[in-house]
Amino acid sequence: MKNTTEVSQSSWKFSRTFWIANFVELLERGAYYGMFIVITLFLSQVVGFSDVEAGIVSGIFSGGLYLLPTFAGAYADKIGFKKALVIAFASLTIGYFLFAAFPTKFPVMAGILFIMIGGATIKSVITATVAIETNKQNRARAFSIFYAMVNVGSFLGKTAVYPIRLQLGLVYVNYFSAGLTLIALILIILFFKSYAEKNETKSAGEIWAGLVRILTNRRLLILVLISTGFWITQFQLYASMPKFVIRMVGEHASPEWIANVNPLIVVFTVMLLTQLLRNVKAITSMALGMFVIPIAAIAMSLGPWLSNELGNQISILGLFTLHPISLMLIVGIILQAIAESLISPRYLEFFSLQAPAGQEGMYLGFSNIHMFFAAVSGFFISGYLLDKYCPDPNKLQKLYESGLISMEQMNHAYDKAHHLWYVFAAIGVVAAVALVFYGIITERIDKKKQQTIIDVVED
């Protein structure tokens, strides 16, 4: 039997299983991000949830995808990777199909459960497959391919759904996603073969105990909560931006293509910035990113002001025009992406250093716990802020028809829409300042402990 150790150590040649795993990852990311960029629009415009309800549902959905992978990975280890991926892609296909065929509240909530199960399983199994199907010599190259596939899938998925949404409607975006995951399911059934089958691993109870240990580790918990402040603002790429730009600019606006600026900038900056700051402490790099994020939020808030000053079209180097609101959202997203490139790689490094010796693996398994908190709280906050500052036009129309608001109030309903970005800028400032103090305090504590050890040894 050919094993992964036979894979070339000095080339870009990898096993068929490796390439199948990466290609289905591309399809899954295309399906997910194509749907997720318009999830709040779909939940409000098609399913009938209010902005607040859509925020709550989206937050639980997104948060679950960051909390469950470690548990799903344990189950996948027990039943085998191929069987786990068949279940995962079947679940995703069912979930997206429920979204499309039965766009009412109960079927959609059931669909969300299916997508959470499938998505969480894939997050853990595909990365594990990449590791197993490679060796020490080619693993870095392998993960660079994997990272590229994730971003290519994200980019292509969001690019494709813009014309689908405009020409066919939001419901058909979910048929698109279901089609991609169905293709992935067929590929897994026909071609995927992993040598990692039915391994013994930690039980769900042991993993839960590990999560409890992390949440009761004060130093790690504080780091998680501070990092959550950054990601709350970062999640507005999906939570607030789509509704904000469509309600302020019109249905022809393209939140899908605007959001694609993020993966493009991250791909081009993450390795460069990490290399440039390689001799800088992880906490310093993270702090720099933290201070960029409130600037990004303020930039996003400037679109309405710029529109009042310059009109509804701005020429970009004479090549094309953009609405000022779209332009400033793009500027803000560029800054967000730079902040992400400064923070994300160094966060894992710093997080691992805070874990007790011998428990790094367990702790890193939950290194994305801050994403769970950020998704839940970020979408929750977004729902309330949208309802207050940038409300659903259908809701305004109903209030007007009921005589609860006047035509003048309707006409001025979006005058303070940009205020929602001030809230996220404030959250970013608090997180940045908190991280600076966190770094200072933890460094002093560590120095004091080190000095105590030296004193004991000398005595």
Side-chain angles (χ1 to χ4, degrees):
M1 180 181 291
K2 182 179 179 180
N3 209 321
T4 57
T5 57
E6 299 177 23
V7 176
S8 172
Q9 296 184 2
S10 59
S11 73
W12 291 87
K13 184 179 179 180
F14 298 96
S15 68
R16 184 177 70 176
T17 295
F18 169 86
W19 289 112
I20 292 296
N22 275 275
F23 186 66
V24 297
E25 173 72 11
L26 184 153
L27 294 175
E28 189 275 329
R29 290 292 83 187
Y32 174 74
Y33 281 109
M35 174 277 299
F36 196 62
I37 188 60
V38 294
I39 182 67
T40 58
L41 291 168
F42 172 74
L43 291 175
S44 293
Q45 294 183 15
V46 179
V47 183
F49 286 111
S50 68
D51 283 338
V52 174
E53 292 168 340
I56 293 172
V57 172
S58 301
I60 294 172
F61 171 43
S62 181
L65 287 171
Y66 289 102
L67 180 64
L68 297 178
T70 303
F71 295 94
Y75 181 68
D77 279 339
K78 289 184 179 296
I79 67 172
F81 282 9
K82 180 167 185 173
K83 187 180 292 185
L85 286 176
V86 168
I87 293 171
F89 279 109
S91 296
L92 289 174
T93 304
I94 292 169
Y96 290 129
F97 180 78
L98 286 173
F99 273 25
F102 306 100
T104 54
K105 292 182 179 179
F106 181 77
V108 164
M109 294 301 293
I112 283 175
L113 182 60
F114 277 107
I115 295 171
M116 285 174 63
I117 293 171
T121 302
I122 289 167
K123 274 182 181 293
S124 55
V125 173
I126 297 297
T127 51
T129 298
V130 171
I132 290 169
E133 294 293 323
T134 56
N135 50 54
K136 291 181 180 179
Q137 285 72 27
N138 62 15
R139 190 158 296 153
R141 292 178 180 178
F143 274 104
S144 70
I145 293 171
F146 168 77
Y147 186 74
M149 289 293 187
V150 169
N151 284 277
V152 170
S154 169
F155 184 87
L156 293 179
K158 285 180 283 192
T159 300
V161 300
Y162 176 55
I164 293 173
R165 175 176 64 83
L166 285 185
Q167 300 299 322
L168 300 175
L170 283 164
V171 166
Y172 285 87
V173 170
N174 300 301
Y175 281 122
F176 165 77
S177 295
L180 292 183
T181 55
L182 179 59
I183 293 171
L185 173 61
I186 294 170
L187 290 174
I188 291 296
I189 293 172
L190 295 179
F191 302 112
F192 185 88
K193 185 176 182 180
S194 175
Y195 296 106
E197 298 292 336
K198 298 183 180 180
N199 297 318
E200 289 300 320
T201 186
K202 289 182 172 62
S203 67
E206 290 173 316
I207 294 172
W208 180 259
L211 175 61
V212 171
R213 286 199 297 274
I214 290 171
L215 295 180
T216 53
N217 181 321
R218 285 182 296 177
R219 177 180 287 201
L220 272 178
L221 181 59
I222 293 170
L223 176 63
V224 164
L225 294 177
I226 292 172
S227 301
T228 296
F230 163 75
W231 283 101
I232 284 174
T233 302
Q234 194 76 336
F235 268 113
Q236 300 318 305
L237 184 68
Y238 301 98
S240 296
M241 187 274 288
K243 285 182 175 178
F244 179 81
V245 70
I246 285 179
R247 291 173 185 178
M248 297 295 288
V249 176
E251 288 291 332
H252 64 281
S254 176
E256 301 93 342
W257 291 3
I258 291 172
N260 264 339
V261 172
N262 178 268
L264 278 177
I265 299 300
V266 169
V267 166
F268 285 112
T269 61
V270 64
M271 288 186 288
L272 174 62
L273 290 174
T274 301
Q275 177 67 14
L276 288 175
L277 298 175
R278 64 189 182 279
N279 295 323
V280 172
K281 291 180 180 179
I283 197 75
T284 303
S285 177
M286 291 168 60
L288 288 173
M290 287 287 198
F291 279 107
V292 171
I293 202 67
I295 299 173
I298 293 297
M300 291 179 175
S301 75
L302 296 177
W305 170 81
L306 198 62
S307 179
N308 291 333
E309 293 294 319
L310 301 178
N312 291 335
Q313 296 293 329
I314 294 179
S315 176
I316 308 300
L317 302 176
L319 301 174
F320 57 92
T321 61
L322 279 175
H323 194 287
I325 289 175
S326 297
L327 174 62
M328 294 314 298
L329 286 172
I330 289 171
V331 171
I333 290 168
I334 290 172
L335 292 171
Q336 278 188 336
I338 292 171
E340 182 178 344
S341 295
L342 288 166
I343 292 172
S344 292
R346 307 304 297 272
Y347 171 81
L348 288 175
E349 174 191 345
F350 192 76
F351 190 95
S352 66
L353 294 173
Q354 310 309 306
Q359 299 183 42
E360 292 87 355
M362 170 66 75
Y363 275 64
L364 283 172
F366 286 104
S367 60
N368 283 326
I369 192 67
H370 65 302
M371 302 286 277
F372 165 75
F373 290 125
V376 173
S377 55
F379 275 92
F380 280 26
I381 294 169
S382 171
Y384 284 100
L385 293 177
L386 285 166
D387 188 59
K388 180 177 178 62
Y389 294 117
C390 192
D392 187 340
N394 293 324
K395 175 184 176 180
L396 291 175
Q397 184 63 35
K398 289 178 182 178
L399 291 173
Y400 173 70
E401 291 172 355
S402 301
L404 296 176
I405 62 173
S406 65
M407 178 58 72
E408 183 179 0
Q409 287 174 303
M410 275 193 69
N411 292 336
H412 292 280
Y414 299 120
D415 286 355
K416 296 182 179 180
H418 59 290
H419 284 198
L420 69 88
W421 299 112
Y422 296 159
V423 176
F424 297 114
I427 292 172
V429 169
V430 171
V433 173
L435 185 63
V436 171
F437 280 103
Y438 176 87
I440 294 171
I441 293 170
T442 54
E443 185 176 9
R444 287 179 179 176
I445 291 173
D446 289 341
K447 284 183 177 179
K448 187 175 181 180
K449 287 182 178 179
Q450 187 177 14
Q451 186 61 47
T452 301
I453 293 172
I454 293 172
D455 292 342
V456 169
V457 171
E458 289 178 349
D459 289 342

